[in-house]
Amino acid sequence: MSVRRTAARLVALPAAVVGFGALAAAPALAHVTITPDSGAAESYTVLTVSVPHGCEGSPTTKIAISIPEEINAVTPTRNALWDVEKKLVTLAEPVKDAHGNEITERVGQVVYTAKAPLPDGYRDAFELSLQVPDAVGKTLAFPVIQTCVKGETKWNETAAEGAPEPEHPAPTLTVTESTGDGHHGSASGEAEESSHGEKSSDDEGASKGLAYTGLGVGVLGLLAGAAALAKSRKA
C-alpha cells in the first residue's frame, strides 16, 4: 500500500510542477507583445505586434500602436481583415534622414481598424517595417491601445528595473550593438559575391580545359583508327 502511495506522489509532483509553470506563464502569453524584442542599432527589421485576446471577453475592433520618438519612418504591412492608417506628427525641428533628405514629420501612431470585430479567443498579428535607431542599450516602448466592442485595454505600463511586471505592460524593443552590416548590404556579403564570381570564372576555365583535352583525345583516336584501317587494306 505504501508503495502505491509513494508512486502516486511521484506522479503527482511533476504534474503539479507543470501546472504551476503553466499558470506562471499564462499572464505573459496573454499580453500584447512585439517580436523580436531586440534589434541591432541602425539595422532594418520587421516587428510583429501580436494581440492574443479581446477585452475581458469582448471582441477587438481597433489596435492603435504608438511609435517611439526615436523612430521617424514606419511601413505597416496591410492586413486583409483590417484597415490601416499612419498618423503623422510634426517634428519640433526638422531632421535629416540617411539619404540627406529633410524630414519635418514622423509616424506617431499606426492604427489598425477591424473590418469585422476580432472575436475573443482568436489572435491576430500586425507587422511594422522600420529602422532601429542608433540608441544602443535603450529599451523603446510601443504603447498599444486595444479598443473593443465593450471597453478598451491600454497596454502602456512600464516597470522600473527589478520591479514586478505590471498588469498591462507596453510592448518593448531593446536596441543592441550594431553588427556593422549597414542597411545597403555588408562588406562580407560583397566579398562573398566576389568570391563566388571568382569561383565561377575558375570553374569555367577548368571546364574549357577539360573540353579541349577531350577533343584532343578524340582526334588522336580518329587518327589511330584511320591508320589501322589503312594497314588492314594493304594487308
Side-chain angles (χ1 to χ4, degrees), residues 7 14 17 31 35 40 54 60 89 101 157-158 163 186 190 197 217:
V17 172
H31 295 163
T35 52
T60 301
V89 295
N101 301 316
E157 299 174 353
T158 56
S186 64
E190 294 173 359
V217 171

Side-chain angles (χ1 to χ4, degrees), residues 2-21:
S2 59
V3 174
R4 291 181 180 179
R5 289 181 180 176
T6 301
R9 288 174 182 174
L10 290 174
V11 171
L13 181 59
V17 172
V18 171
F20 178 78

Side-chain angles (χ1 to χ4, degrees), residues 17-172:
V17 172
V18 171
F20 178 78
L23 290 174
L29 294 175
H31 295 163
V32 171
T33 59
I34 277 183
T35 52
D37 58 5
S38 65
E42 300 184 292
S43 67
Y44 282 88
T45 187
V46 176
L47 303 179
T48 300
V49 180
S50 299
V51 178
H53 57 72
C55 307
E56 297 183 356
S58 180
T60 301
T61 58
K62 183 184 295 184
I63 295 294
I65 308 165
S66 295
I67 308 302
E69 294 181 356
E70 292 84 354
I71 298 173
N72 291 320
V74 174
T75 302
T77 301
R78 296 181 64 182
N79 186 315
L81 301 177
W82 303 71
D83 293 321
V84 60
E85 177 187 6
K86 294 191 292 184
K87 294 192 174 182
L88 303 178
V89 295
T90 302
L91 297 174
E93 295 182 5
V95 296
K96 298 285 187 180
D97 64 11
H99 303 283
N101 301 316
E102 186 176 79
I103 299 176
T104 59
E105 295 179 319
R106 59 176 290 272
V107 178
Q109 194 177 56
V110 175
V111 180
Y112 282 90
T113 303
K115 296 178 181 179
L118 174 66
D120 183 48
Y122 290 83
R123 66 179 296 276
D124 211 334
F126 311 92
E127 294 182 337
L128 305 175
S129 175
L130 53 86
Q131 184 179 22
V132 180
D134 187 9
V136 178
K138 192 168 185 178
T139 297
L140 307 177
F142 292 73
V144 173
I145 298 177
Q146 180 182 10
T147 303
C148 298
V149 173
K150 294 182 179 179
E152 68 176 18
T153 302
K154 295 182 178 180
W155 301 92
N156 60 358
E157 299 174 353
T158 56
E161 186 175 353
E165 186 178 52
E167 184 178 0
H168 300 106
T172 59

Side-chain angles (χ1 to χ4, degrees), residues 94 137 214 216 229:
L229 180 60

